[in-house]
């Protein structure tokens, strides 16, 4: 197969699937992973996609659920900045919820030596915090959603309804001034909506790439959000909008 033909087919695949991995493409096209990496680099330079460790993705599309293996490697330093900022609002003795987002996972490293109660639907957070006896860890249980390594379904929702927490740190797929806070999948959106409802203070944690986009399922409007923590400064329009909706904005330095 000619390189141009292969790249065109990769372009069509990623427009359809929204994300791809190097190993999958190498197997599908019977070429080396290095060849696929060169193809992805060329497509990135053309503005088709965004590369990350192990694959590539695009931001567009209201139904766009990116594989955990790729999301873990997207904007890692930015997510770490957000996590460090979040800790300014967490105190010993707090009861908090961390959702199954990759940004929330970075908070674990910042709180691991604090005395906290942590409720989570995230398998990765459960595994990380399980070794810290100072953390009173509560898992929602439920059906494992492999794409997010999170628990969903009736059991997870019932568990969440049993608790009320001081603070929730929750992410989303997209934020838009008109359409509010949205997510790509219905199951994850249902869990995040419920987590927000069961918290005294709601902190939305979102990197800059999620703003001014809309995904498939509504989580909530901005009136349910107390604060937004973002990795980079937002536009003056966002500052004005959030001030009008009485949402505190914290931009990482």
């Amino acid at each position: 197969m000619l390189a141009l033909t292969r790249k065109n087919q990769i372009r069509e695949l990623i427009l359809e699937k929204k994300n791809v991995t190097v190993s999958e493409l190498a197997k599908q096209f019977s070429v080396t992973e290095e060849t696929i990496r060169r193809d992805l680099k060329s497509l990135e330079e053309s503005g088709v996609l965004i590369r990350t460790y192990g694959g590539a993705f695009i931001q567009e599309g209201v139904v766009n659920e990116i594989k955990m293996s790729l999301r873990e490697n997207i904007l890692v330093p930015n997510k770490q900045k957000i996590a460090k900022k979040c800790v300014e609002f967490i105190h010993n003795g707090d009861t908090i919820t961390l959702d199954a987002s990759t940004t929330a996972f970075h908070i674990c490293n910042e709180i691991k030596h604090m005395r906290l109660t942590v409720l989570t639907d995230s398998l990765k957070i459960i595994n990380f915090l399980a070794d810290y006896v100072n953390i009173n860890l509560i898992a929602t249980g439920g059906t494992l959603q492999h794409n997010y390594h999170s628990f969903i379904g009736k059991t997870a929702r019932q568990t969440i309804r049993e608790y009320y927490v001081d603070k929730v740190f929750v992410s989303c797929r997209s934020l838009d001034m008109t359409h509010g806070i949205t997510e790509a999948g219905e199951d994850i959106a249902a869990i995040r909506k419920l987590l927000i409802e069961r918290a005294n203070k709601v902190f939305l944690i979102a990197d800059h790439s999620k703003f001014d986009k809309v995904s498939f399922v509504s989580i909530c409007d901005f009136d349910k959000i107390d604060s937004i923590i973002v990795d980079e400064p937002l536009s003056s329009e966002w500052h004005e909008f959030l001030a009008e909706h009485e949402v505190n904005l914290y931009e990482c330095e």
Side-chain angles (χ1 to χ4, degrees):
M1 179 183 293
L2 295 175
L4 180 60
T5 302
R6 185 178 60 248
K7 282 192 287 187
N8 284 336
Q9 290 187 16
I10 292 172
R11 181 198 303 265
E12 292 301 317
L13 273 174
I14 199 164
L15 288 173
E16 176 187 350
K17 298 174 64 178
K18 314 304 180 188
N19 59 100
V20 293
T21 65
V22 170
S23 58
E24 289 172 346
L25 292 176
K27 183 177 180 180
Q28 179 170 344
F29 291 101
S30 300
V31 295
T32 65
E33 293 190 359
E34 185 57 36
T35 296
I36 294 298
R37 290 190 185 96
R38 287 197 297 268
D39 290 343
L40 294 179
K41 181 179 179 181
S42 174
L43 290 168
E44 183 180 47
E45 291 170 350
S46 300
V48 174
L49 50 79
I50 302 169
R51 286 187 302 155
T52 187
Y53 181 82
F57 68 99
I58 59 173
Q59 294 279 23
E60 290 75 17
V62 294
V63 180
N64 186 348
E65 297 186 80
I66 300 172
K67 294 181 178 69
M68 171 66 79
S69 61
L70 298 183
R71 288 190 294 115
E72 288 176 327
N73 295 291
I74 297 170
L75 297 172
V76 172
N78 305 61
K79 295 172 183 178
Q80 291 171 335
K81 286 199 301 183
I82 292 173
K84 291 181 183 297
K85 189 68 176 178
C86 288
V87 177
E88 296 179 15
F89 306 99
I90 302 173
H91 309 288
N92 284 318
D94 279 349
T95 296
I96 69 171
T97 298
L98 300 178
D99 76 351
S101 64
T102 53
T103 305
F105 178 74
H106 286 287
I107 298 176
C108 292
N109 196 53
E110 306 298 327
I111 65 169
K112 61 187 179 185
H113 296 305
M114 298 180 71
R115 298 184 303 279
L116 302 166
T117 294
V118 177
L119 170 67
T120 185
D121 62 320
S122 167
L123 179 61
K124 289 180 66 65
I125 290 176
I126 292 166
N127 289 335
F128 184 92
L129 293 178
D131 293 331
Y132 295 91
V133 297
N134 48 295
I135 302 288
N136 179 29
L137 185 60
I138 303 172
T140 64
T143 302
L144 184 64
Q145 209 272 20
H146 292 278
N147 201 35
Y148 281 78
H149 289 190
S150 65
F151 292 102
I152 58 173
K154 182 179 179 180
T155 299
R157 295 193 299 270
Q158 285 179 335
T159 301
I160 295 167
R161 291 190 184 100
E162 293 294 321
Y163 297 96
Y164 193 73
V165 302
D166 297 309
K167 300 154 189 173
V168 62
F169 295 85
V170 62
S171 190
C172 65
R173 190 71 184 88
S174 307
L175 300 84
D176 178 78
M177 294 183 193
T178 301
H179 299 96
I181 320 300
T182 53
E183 185 54 66
E186 292 182 279
D187 292 325
I188 295 298
I191 292 293
R192 289 179 173 170
K193 181 176 182 178
L194 190 54
L195 292 176
I196 287 170
E197 292 174 356
R198 304 303 296 174
N200 186 37
K201 293 291 183 182
V202 177
F203 292 84
L204 184 66
I205 50 177
D207 65 70
H208 67 279
S209 70
K210 298 181 177 182
F211 286 78
D212 299 309
K213 295 179 177 67
V214 180
S215 292
F216 188 50
V217 186
S218 173
I219 297 176
C220 67
D221 293 323
F222 288 93
D223 61 347
K224 301 293 184 182
I225 306 298
D226 295 293
S227 303
I228 292 179
I229 302 176
V230 63
D231 58 325
E232 295 183 1
L234 299 180
S235 66
S236 58
E237 288 80 9
W238 271 105
H239 277 257
E240 294 170 6
F241 176 83
L242 295 175
E244 290 173 1
H245 288 76
E246 300 181 339
V247 177
N248 300 311
L249 176 62
Y250 300 97
E251 299 166 322
C252 299
E253 297 179 358

